[in-house]
Amino acid sequence: MNKDYPGYPNLGLVQKLVQQPIAFPPQHQERAPGLEWVMHPRPIFDYEDFKGSGKLKGKVALITGGDSGIGRAVAVAYAKEGADLTIVYLNEDFDANETKQYVEKFGVSCLLIRGDLRKPSTSELAVNRTIEKYGRLDIVVNNAAVQPYTKDITDVSDEQLEDTFRTNVFPLFYMTKAALPYLKEGSAIISTASRVAYEGDKNVLDYAASKGAIVSFTRSLALSLVEKGIRVNAVAPGPAWTPLTVSTYPADQVAILGTDIPMGRAAQPFEIAPAFVYLATNESRYVTGQVLHVNGGLIRYS
């Protein structure tokens, strides 16, 4: 066990894995969007051979769903690059506090905000508390999501449909409106889309539709904010080993996650995070309205 981070395996050994798992033990969590600390094996959210170079030093990033999965990996990558953080999460207190403890070892500050992003007031609270603590906001990462499993469109109740869009799409509007007065030229808004926005997925019908909406939101908001010098982009991951995955798919499908794509495996969260770093830095200053595909070789959907 890692003495500095109780509950974690030896991070040094885990993060030095040269070969990623091809398949995972069958497992399913009934609780959505899932808990990282009960997954087996734990997702790899940091690659210790990656050393930050201060690309985000002095910046402040607000990350929704930053407690676990891809959001946690983005938080770690940003912390390594010197950014102070605000992480907004629903109620996964254990995961959120582990993330805070981990990122702060890189010498940055991490503010945790517990709240329901389906309510506009949560975005307003998160932005206001960020400004109170840091005095600025430079990067907004819209990452929080739910992904209900369905066998047929008749399984998608009116309540589920509304909840999926209220969780996955509405907060992008709420958070952008709350953050915009504080964003300035050079700021970045980055959202998490998905490969299913392009290829579809019959078992996550409403989720796929919501991710398609995020792609359109990204392109349209980029046009709206380009004259202000604020860039708006998205990342579309392929299958990834995250709590969202194990709280969505049945155990037998989890066991073969990602084995049908060209690289033959699902991504670990740390493999997706660098795209978010690129889109947050000045290295991408000529990039807006775009979606970066990190999907293991699904080039026909890019």
Side-chain angles (χ1 to χ4, degrees), residues 117-118 161-171 174:
L117 286 161
R118 293 172 295 187
L161 179 62
E162 180 173 347
D163 185 69
T164 298
F165 274 78
R166 189 167 290 281
T167 303
N168 296 1
V169 180
F170 287 19
Y174 300 153

Side-chain angles (χ1 to χ4, degrees), residues 45-287:
F45 58 84
D46 185 17
Y47 180 51
E48 65 178 14
D49 286 346
F50 166 69
K51 309 297 183 185
S53 55
K55 293 177 181 177
L56 298 176
K57 189 171 181 59
K59 305 275 190 180
V60 174
L62 187 158
I63 306 170
T64 69
D67 56 290
S68 64
I70 292 170
R72 171 182 279 185
V74 173
V76 171
Y78 282 6
K80 283 187 167 186
E81 293 293 356
D84 289 316
L85 306 171
T86 294
I87 288 175
V88 187
Y89 69 101
L90 181 60
N91 53 24
E92 304 87 348
D93 296 318
F94 191 87
D95 281 344
N97 281 287
E98 279 191 333
T99 301
K100 176 180 170 67
Q101 182 184 15
Y102 193 87
V103 299
E104 287 188 338
K105 76 172 187 172
F106 298 110
V108 303
S109 179
C110 181
L111 172 66
L112 297 180
I113 306 288
R114 191 183 201 265
D116 187 345
L117 286 161
R118 293 172 295 187
K119 302 175 181 177
S121 58
T122 299
S123 293
E124 294 168 2
L125 172 68
V127 170
N128 289 339
R129 289 192 57 191
T130 297
I131 298 301
E132 288 172 5
K133 181 172 179 63
Y134 302 118
R136 63 184 298 162
L137 177 59
D138 305 280
I139 305 156
V140 175
V141 178
N142 297 303
N143 172 72
V146 293
Q147 183 180 230
Y149 183 83
T150 53
K151 294 182 179 179
D152 187 88
I153 190 170
T154 58
D155 291 339
V156 183
S157 66
D158 294 346
E159 292 77 16
Q160 177 179 305
L161 179 62
E162 180 173 347
D163 185 69
T164 298
F165 274 78
R166 189 167 290 281
T167 303
N168 296 1
V169 180
F170 287 19
L172 276 65
F173 288 83
Y174 300 153
M175 189 62 75
T176 300
K177 290 195 289 185
L180 196 54
Y182 305 101
L183 300 179
K184 54 190 178 299
E185 184 174 357
S187 295
I189 298 171
I190 310 165
S191 299
T192 303
S194 171
R195 65 163 180 159
V196 303
Y198 296 84
E199 65 172 323
D201 187 327
K202 65 180 182 180
N203 293 133
V204 289
L205 184 58
D206 47 331
Y207 172 82
S210 74
K211 290 299 179 174
I214 290 174
V215 172
S216 293
F217 173 85
T218 297
R219 291 170 173 166
S220 299
L221 186 64
L223 295 174
S224 175
L225 298 181
V226 68
E227 291 183 359
K228 296 180 182 293
I230 299 170
R231 296 178 299 103
V232 185
N233 294 289
V235 177
W241 186 236
T242 67
L244 188 67
T245 295
V246 297
S247 66
T248 299
Y249 295 100
D252 60 341
Q253 290 192 32
V254 168
I256 58 172
L257 177 71
T259 56
D260 60 337
I261 66 170
M263 281 194 176
R265 64 172 178 86
Q268 291 288 343
F270 82 90
E271 296 176 298
I272 297 169
F276 287 85
V277 174
Y278 169 69
L279 292 174
T281 67
N282 285 333
E283 293 176 358
S284 61
R285 63 187 302 162
Y286 196 58
V287 180

